[in-house]
């Protein structure tokens, strides 16, 4: 670092305090001051709302946590519901490919194909029985 | 949602002991907006709305992974939530500003401490109470958020490349960081000028709110610089 004179050192100290204020880590505080957090813009609010009401259910499914219960309610659900659960619909919140590892992607795709195939067979069967 | 309606740390702790899933659902239901705001704060507002939402999703996934670990300690779970949110916000901010993602915060802290040592400003800072320090930091963040876009960008870039600027004593890293945010090539002279204007505004506002030493004014009103 270059040598600086007294006046410049005071200016640097002021800049250092500004930098420190921005870098301050309050995550160790027991009480984060929620009243002074920056407000969300309308666009940011919309982005948050776009996660949808079933976001956590989808999050847990994508992690494999609820896979064991995945087909339990199939008789009450629609194809759209099931595809959403399998991560195949346009409304799937975790829409960034890089976040889903290869294994999970394969599992989700397999589930999606199974649902489509099963529904197709059911529809054919219904059609034949009419 | 009004703060008083939020589940307490204790209630969240109980939810977590009951079931990790229940806990994650409670965090999402009650804290989603606060977490988005918190991520926005620590990403210094450089992320767009989609990136902010991505950061929120990464946060929720990381929380879910964390709470499922057998050795997870459910005491004071909000700390863990904020810690994860902050880390993700900082990582995404640095990626966006094309800075070293794993830059050591300790190094920045040491550089700040070094710049304060032996100065009147450093002495004045040490004399502040913890509430006053918090108020100071809050003011800096608020003023930066309210600056015109170019000045705000300059202030954010300056803070991000502070250590590098100090080592090289040149403003090229500032221009590079600003270019990363704006997506346009920023020249060194205009980057430096934008930072100077931003710094002036921040110092003026801090002085107006009682931190006169940022304009070289002591508590007794005398001018030392």
């Amino acid at each position: 670092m270059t040598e600086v004179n007294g006046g410049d050192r005071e200016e640097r100290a002021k800049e250092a305090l500004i930098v420190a204020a921005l870098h301050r880590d309050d995550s160790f505080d027991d009480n984060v001051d929620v009243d002074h957090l920056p407000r969300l813009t309308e666009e940011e609010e919309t982005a948050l709302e776009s996660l949808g009401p079933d976001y956590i259910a989808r999050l847990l499914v994508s992690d494999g946590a609820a896979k064991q219960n995945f087909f339990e309610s199939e008789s009450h659900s629609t194809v759209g519901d099931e595809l959403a659960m399998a991560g195949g619909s346009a409304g799937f919140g975790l829409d960034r490919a890089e976040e889903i590892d290869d294994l999970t992607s394969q599992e989700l795709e397999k589930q999606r194909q199974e649902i489509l195939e099963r529904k197709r067979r059911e529809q054919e069967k219904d059609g034949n029985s009419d | 949602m009004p703060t008083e309606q939020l589940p307490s740390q204790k209630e969240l702790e109980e939810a977590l002991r009951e079931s990790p899933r229940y806990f994650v659902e409670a965090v999402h239901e009650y804290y989603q907006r606060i977490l988005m705001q918190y991520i926005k704060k620590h990403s210094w507002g450089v992320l767009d709305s989609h990136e902010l939402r991505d950061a929120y999703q990464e946060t929720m996934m990381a929380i879910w992974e964390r709470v499922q670990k057998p050795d997870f300690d459910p005491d004071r779970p909000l700390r863990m939530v904020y810690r994860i949110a902050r880390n993700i916000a900082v990582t995404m901010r640095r990626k966006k500003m094309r800075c070293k993602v794993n830059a050591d915060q300790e190094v920045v802290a040491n550089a700040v401490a070094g710049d304060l040592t032996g100065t009147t400003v450093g002495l004045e800072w040490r004399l502040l109470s913890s509430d006053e320090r918090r108020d100071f930091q809050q003011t800096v963040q608020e003023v930066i958020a309210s600056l015109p876009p170019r000045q705000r960008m300059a202030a954010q870039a300056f803070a991000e490349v502070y250590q590098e600027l100090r080592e090289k004593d040149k403003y090229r890293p500032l221009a590079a960081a600003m270019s990363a945010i704006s997506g346009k090539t920023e020249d060194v002279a205009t980057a430096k000028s934008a930072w100077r204007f931003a710094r002036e505004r921040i110092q003026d506002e801090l002085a107006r709110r009682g931190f006169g030493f940022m304009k070289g004014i002591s508590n007794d009103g005398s001018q030392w610089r």
Side-chain angles (χ1 to χ4, degrees), chain A residues 79-106:
Chain A
V79 175
D81 290 337
E82 292 186 18
L83 287 178
M85 289 290 279
S89 78
F92 190 69
L94 306 172
D95 51 3
R96 295 177 309 150
E98 67 271 24
E99 286 181 1
I100 303 174
D101 61 29
D102 287 340
L103 184 62
T104 311
S105 298
Q106 285 166 18

Short mmCIF file of all heavy atoms in Angstrom, two decimals, chain A residues 79-106:
data_model
loop_
_atom_site.label_atom_id
_atom_site.label_comp_id
_atom_site.label_asym_id
_atom_site.label_seq_id
_atom_site.Cartn_x
_atom_site.Cartn_y
_atom_site.Cartn_z
N VAL A 79 -53.53 -34.60 -13.93
CA VAL A 79 -52.22 -34.73 -14.58
C VAL A 79 -51.37 -33.51 -14.28
O VAL A 79 -50.19 -33.60 -13.98
CB VAL A 79 -52.40 -34.90 -16.10
CG1 VAL A 79 -51.04 -34.93 -16.79
CG2 VAL A 79 -53.15 -36.19 -16.40
N GLY A 80 -52.04 -32.34 -14.36
CA GLY A 80 -51.30 -31.08 -14.12
C GLY A 80 -50.69 -31.05 -12.73
O GLY A 80 -49.53 -30.69 -12.56
N ASP A 81 -51.48 -31.46 -11.74
CA ASP A 81 -50.98 -31.49 -10.37
C ASP A 81 -49.77 -32.39 -10.26
O ASP A 81 -48.76 -32.05 -9.65
CB ASP A 81 -52.05 -32.03 -9.40
CG ASP A 81 -53.18 -31.03 -9.23
OD1 ASP A 81 -52.94 -29.84 -9.47
OD2 ASP A 81 -54.28 -31.46 -8.86
N GLU A 82 -49.89 -33.55 -10.86
CA GLU A 82 -48.81 -34.53 -10.71
C GLU A 82 -47.56 -34.10 -11.45
O GLU A 82 -46.45 -34.29 -10.96
CB GLU A 82 -49.30 -35.89 -11.22
CG GLU A 82 -50.37 -36.46 -10.31
CD GLU A 82 -50.77 -37.87 -10.68
OE1 GLU A 82 -50.01 -38.52 -11.41
OE2 GLU A 82 -51.82 -38.31 -10.24
N LEU A 83 -47.74 -33.48 -12.62
CA LEU A 83 -46.56 -33.00 -13.34
C LEU A 83 -45.88 -31.89 -12.55
O LEU A 83 -44.67 -31.80 -12.52
CB LEU A 83 -46.96 -32.50 -14.73
CG LEU A 83 -47.31 -33.59 -15.72
CD1 LEU A 83 -47.74 -32.97 -17.04
CD2 LEU A 83 -46.15 -34.54 -15.96
N ALA A 84 -46.70 -31.06 -11.92
CA ALA A 84 -46.12 -29.99 -11.11
C ALA A 84 -45.30 -30.59 -9.97
O ALA A 84 -44.20 -30.14 -9.67
CB ALA A 84 -47.22 -29.09 -10.54
N MET A 85 -45.85 -31.64 -9.37
CA MET A 85 -45.13 -32.29 -8.28
C MET A 85 -43.83 -32.92 -8.79
O MET A 85 -42.82 -32.95 -8.11
CB MET A 85 -46.00 -33.39 -7.66
CG MET A 85 -47.17 -32.88 -6.85
SD MET A 85 -46.64 -32.11 -5.34
CE MET A 85 -46.41 -33.56 -4.33
N ALA A 86 -43.88 -33.41 -10.02
CA ALA A 86 -42.69 -34.06 -10.58
C ALA A 86 -41.72 -33.05 -11.17
O ALA A 86 -40.66 -33.42 -11.62
CB ALA A 86 -43.11 -35.04 -11.66
N GLY A 87 -42.08 -31.79 -11.17
CA GLY A 87 -41.18 -30.77 -11.67
C GLY A 87 -41.25 -30.60 -13.16
O GLY A 87 -40.38 -29.98 -13.75
N GLY A 88 -42.28 -31.11 -13.79
CA GLY A 88 -42.33 -31.04 -15.24
C GLY A 88 -43.18 -29.90 -15.78
O GLY A 88 -43.17 -29.66 -16.96
N SER A 89 -43.93 -29.21 -14.94
CA SER A 89 -44.81 -28.18 -15.46
C SER A 89 -44.09 -26.85 -15.55
O SER A 89 -43.06 -26.64 -14.95
CB SER A 89 -46.03 -28.03 -14.55
OG SER A 89 -45.68 -27.29 -13.40
N ALA A 90 -44.71 -25.94 -16.32
CA ALA A 90 -44.10 -24.62 -16.50
C ALA A 90 -44.06 -23.85 -15.19
O ALA A 90 -43.24 -22.98 -15.00
CB ALA A 90 -44.89 -23.84 -17.53
N GLY A 91 -44.99 -24.17 -14.27
CA GLY A 91 -45.05 -23.43 -13.02
C GLY A 91 -44.08 -23.91 -11.96
O GLY A 91 -44.08 -23.43 -10.85
N PHE A 92 -43.22 -24.81 -12.31
CA PHE A 92 -42.30 -25.35 -11.32
C PHE A 92 -41.34 -24.25 -10.88
O PHE A 92 -40.63 -23.67 -11.67
CB PHE A 92 -41.53 -26.52 -11.94
CG PHE A 92 -40.73 -27.31 -10.95
CD1 PHE A 92 -41.36 -28.09 -10.01
CD2 PHE A 92 -39.35 -27.27 -10.97
CE1 PHE A 92 -40.63 -28.83 -9.11
CE2 PHE A 92 -38.62 -28.00 -10.06
CZ PHE A 92 -39.27 -28.78 -9.13
N GLY A 93 -41.35 -23.98 -9.57
CA GLY A 93 -40.58 -22.84 -9.07
C GLY A 93 -39.08 -22.99 -9.19
O GLY A 93 -38.36 -22.03 -9.39
N LEU A 94 -38.60 -24.19 -9.06
CA LEU A 94 -37.15 -24.38 -9.12
C LEU A 94 -36.77 -24.53 -10.59
O LEU A 94 -36.45 -25.60 -11.05
CB LEU A 94 -36.76 -25.62 -8.33
CG LEU A 94 -37.25 -25.63 -6.90
CD1 LEU A 94 -36.99 -26.96 -6.26
CD2 LEU A 94 -36.57 -24.54 -6.12
N ASP A 95 -36.84 -23.39 -11.27
CA ASP A 95 -36.76 -23.46 -12.72
C ASP A 95 -35.35 -23.28 -13.28
O ASP A 95 -35.18 -22.95 -14.43
CB ASP A 95 -37.72 -22.46 -13.34
CG ASP A 95 -37.54 -21.09 -12.75
OD1 ASP A 95 -36.64 -20.91 -11.92
OD2 ASP A 95 -38.29 -20.19 -13.10
N ARG A 96 -34.36 -23.46 -12.48
CA ARG A 96 -33.01 -23.29 -13.00
C ARG A 96 -32.32 -24.64 -13.06
O ARG A 96 -32.11 -25.31 -12.06
CB ARG A 96 -32.22 -22.32 -12.13
CG ARG A 96 -32.81 -20.93 -12.19
CD ARG A 96 -32.08 -20.00 -11.31
NE ARG A 96 -32.00 -20.59 -9.97
CZ ARG A 96 -31.01 -20.34 -9.16
NH1 ARG A 96 -30.01 -19.60 -9.51
NH2 ARG A 96 -31.00 -20.88 -7.96
N ALA A 97 -31.95 -25.01 -14.24
CA ALA A 97 -31.43 -26.35 -14.48
C ALA A 97 -30.21 -26.65 -13.62
O ALA A 97 -30.02 -27.77 -13.16
CB ALA A 97 -31.07 -26.51 -15.94
N GLU A 98 -29.38 -25.63 -13.39
CA GLU A 98 -28.14 -25.89 -12.68
C GLU A 98 -28.36 -26.27 -11.22
O GLU A 98 -27.47 -26.77 -10.57
CB GLU A 98 -27.18 -24.71 -12.77
CG GLU A 98 -27.64 -23.44 -12.06
CD GLU A 98 -28.46 -22.55 -12.96
OE1 GLU A 98 -29.06 -23.07 -13.93
OE2 GLU A 98 -28.52 -21.35 -12.68
N GLU A 99 -29.59 -25.99 -10.73
CA GLU A 99 -29.84 -26.29 -9.33
C GLU A 99 -30.26 -27.74 -9.12
O GLU A 99 -30.33 -28.22 -8.01
CB GLU A 99 -30.95 -25.39 -8.79
CG GLU A 99 -30.46 -23.99 -8.57
CD GLU A 99 -31.55 -23.12 -8.02
OE1 GLU A 99 -32.65 -23.63 -7.80
OE2 GLU A 99 -31.26 -21.96 -7.80
N ILE A 100 -30.62 -28.40 -10.19
CA ILE A 100 -31.09 -29.78 -10.06
C ILE A 100 -29.98 -30.69 -10.56
O ILE A 100 -29.59 -30.60 -11.71
CB ILE A 100 -32.37 -29.98 -10.88
CG1 ILE A 100 -33.43 -28.98 -10.43
CG2 ILE A 100 -32.87 -31.40 -10.76
CD1 ILE A 100 -34.67 -29.00 -11.28
N ASP A 101 -29.46 -31.51 -9.69
CA ASP A 101 -28.36 -32.34 -10.14
C ASP A 101 -28.86 -33.42 -11.10
O ASP A 101 -30.06 -33.63 -11.28
CB ASP A 101 -27.59 -32.95 -8.96
CG ASP A 101 -28.46 -33.83 -8.12
OD1 ASP A 101 -29.41 -34.42 -8.66
OD2 ASP A 101 -28.18 -33.94 -6.91
N ASP A 102 -27.93 -34.08 -11.73
CA ASP A 102 -28.29 -35.03 -12.77
C ASP A 102 -29.24 -36.11 -12.27
O ASP A 102 -30.22 -36.47 -12.91
CB ASP A 102 -27.03 -35.69 -13.34
CG ASP A 102 -26.28 -34.70 -14.20
OD1 ASP A 102 -26.90 -33.72 -14.63
OD2 ASP A 102 -25.08 -34.90 -14.42
N LEU A 103 -28.92 -36.63 -11.08
CA LEU A 103 -29.71 -37.73 -10.54
C LEU A 103 -31.15 -37.29 -10.33
O LEU A 103 -32.10 -37.96 -10.74
CB LEU A 103 -29.10 -38.20 -9.21
CG LEU A 103 -29.79 -39.40 -8.59
CD1 LEU A 103 -29.68 -40.61 -9.51
CD2 LEU A 103 -29.16 -39.72 -7.23
N THR A 104 -31.32 -36.10 -9.71
CA THR A 104 -32.66 -35.59 -9.45
C THR A 104 -33.40 -35.35 -10.76
O THR A 104 -34.57 -35.68 -10.90
CB THR A 104 -32.59 -34.28 -8.66
OG1 THR A 104 -31.72 -34.47 -7.56
CG2 THR A 104 -33.96 -33.87 -8.16
N SER A 105 -32.70 -34.79 -11.74
CA SER A 105 -33.33 -34.53 -13.03
C SER A 105 -33.84 -35.82 -13.65
O SER A 105 -34.96 -35.87 -14.17
CB SER A 105 -32.32 -33.91 -14.00
OG SER A 105 -31.90 -32.69 -13.51
N GLN A 106 -33.00 -36.85 -13.58
CA GLN A 106 -33.41 -38.13 -14.16
C GLN A 106 -34.64 -38.68 -13.43
O GLN A 106 -35.57 -39.18 -14.06
CB GLN A 106 -32.26 -39.14 -14.06
CG GLN A 106 -31.16 -38.86 -15.08
CD GLN A 106 -29.89 -39.63 -14.76
OE1 GLN A 106 -29.93 -40.59 -14.00
NE2 GLN A 106 -28.79 -39.20 -15.33
#
